[in-house]
Amino acid sequence: MIQFQYFPRSEPSTRKLLDVVSVFQQYANAINSHTNSLKSNEVLLTIVDGLEDIGFKVEKTKLAEDKIPVPVLFGYNNQPSKSFLADAIHFNERIVIEVEAGRAVVNNQFLKDIFQASMMVDIEYLVLAVRNTYRGSDDFQKVYHFLDTLYTSQRIKLPLKGILVIGY
């Protein structure tokens, strides 16, 4: 079962973000974390066609030519001097996607993803896909509650317009 939540909860999701949810729903049986133990790259490869169909560039392999660097800092001659890698990106819609599996909550990878997306130039939205279940833990709910606290408390203001969390 695919579940999702857009933050801030006081605003509706964009149409393109809902298109991303539809892609995950299209492949729900193949990536369902209750019945599959796919690694994040395997999940990404399963949904790659759907994401490409809606205009995303997707990292298909770990080869250098397939990586998607997104600039963070610029140096001499306006050349990127620091970049972070994205799993998928929609340049026109300014959306970056990060797909996580076992490390999402256990190693706080979702926090690193939020930080990196917040630093990326010209990125306004983060889609964070996490397992619904991992070793008996409800990772989607843990990320949901963290982001709900972050947005409700308003003690930290992120430079992103929104974050979509998808549980697969």
Side-chain angles (χ1 to χ4, degrees), residues 2-9 11-25 47 51 54 56 88 93-100 110 113-114 117-118 123-131 139-140 143-145 147-148 150-151 158 160-168:
I2 300 299
Q3 51 188 339
F4 66 96
Q5 178 64 55
Y6 178 75
F7 293 93
R9 293 191 306 138
E11 296 178 18
S13 177
T14 69
R15 179 71 242 155
K16 187 56 76 175
L17 291 173
L18 293 176
D19 290 344
V20 174
V21 171
S22 294
V23 169
F24 277 83
Q25 290 170 332
I47 65 173
L51 292 176
I54 60 171
F56 280 84
E93 299 288 334
R94 300 176 181 231
I95 302 169
V96 68
I97 298 175
E98 291 297 330
V99 177
E100 301 302 342
F110 79 98
D113 293 337
I114 293 168
S118 295
I123 295 301
E124 296 179 347
Y125 300 96
L126 168 64
V127 175
L128 186 55
V130 300
R131 294 172 59 99
D139 282 6
F140 174 82
V143 173
Y144 168 88
H145 288 297
L147 287 171
D148 196 40
L150 176 77
Y151 277 93
L158 297 176
L160 301 168
K161 286 186 177 179
I163 298 176
L164 174 66
V165 181
I166 300 174
Y168 64 88

Side-chain angles (χ1 to χ4, degrees), residues 78-138:
N78 203 37
Q79 295 301 306
S81 61
K82 177 66 177 172
S83 298
F84 291 133
L85 299 175
D87 287 339
I89 191 167
H90 195 294
F91 292 102
N92 292 340
E93 299 288 334
R94 300 176 181 231
I95 302 169
V96 68
I97 298 175
E98 291 297 330
V99 177
E100 301 302 342
R103 304 182 321 148
V105 172
V106 172
N107 288 353
N108 294 311
Q109 183 66 33
F110 79 98
L111 293 174
K112 182 180 177 192
D113 293 337
I114 293 168
F115 170 78
Q116 289 184 345
S118 295
M119 298 298 109
M120 292 175 176
V121 173
D122 292 331
I123 295 301
E124 296 179 347
Y125 300 96
L126 168 64
V127 175
L128 186 55
V130 300
R131 294 172 59 99
N132 281 320
T133 184
Y134 178 67
R135 295 183 181 170
S137 172
D138 189 337

Side-chain angles (χ1 to χ4, degrees), residues 19-53:
D19 290 344
V20 174
V21 171
S22 294
V23 169
F24 277 83
Q25 290 170 332
Q26 178 183 347
Y27 295 95
N29 289 336
I31 63 174
N32 183 339
S33 62
H34 294 288
T35 57
N36 298 296
S37 57
L38 299 175
K39 295 177 182 173
S40 59
N41 290 339
E42 294 169 327
V43 172
L44 193 58
L45 286 177
T46 302
I47 65 173
V48 66
D49 291 339
L51 292 176
E52 288 180 338
D53 286 347

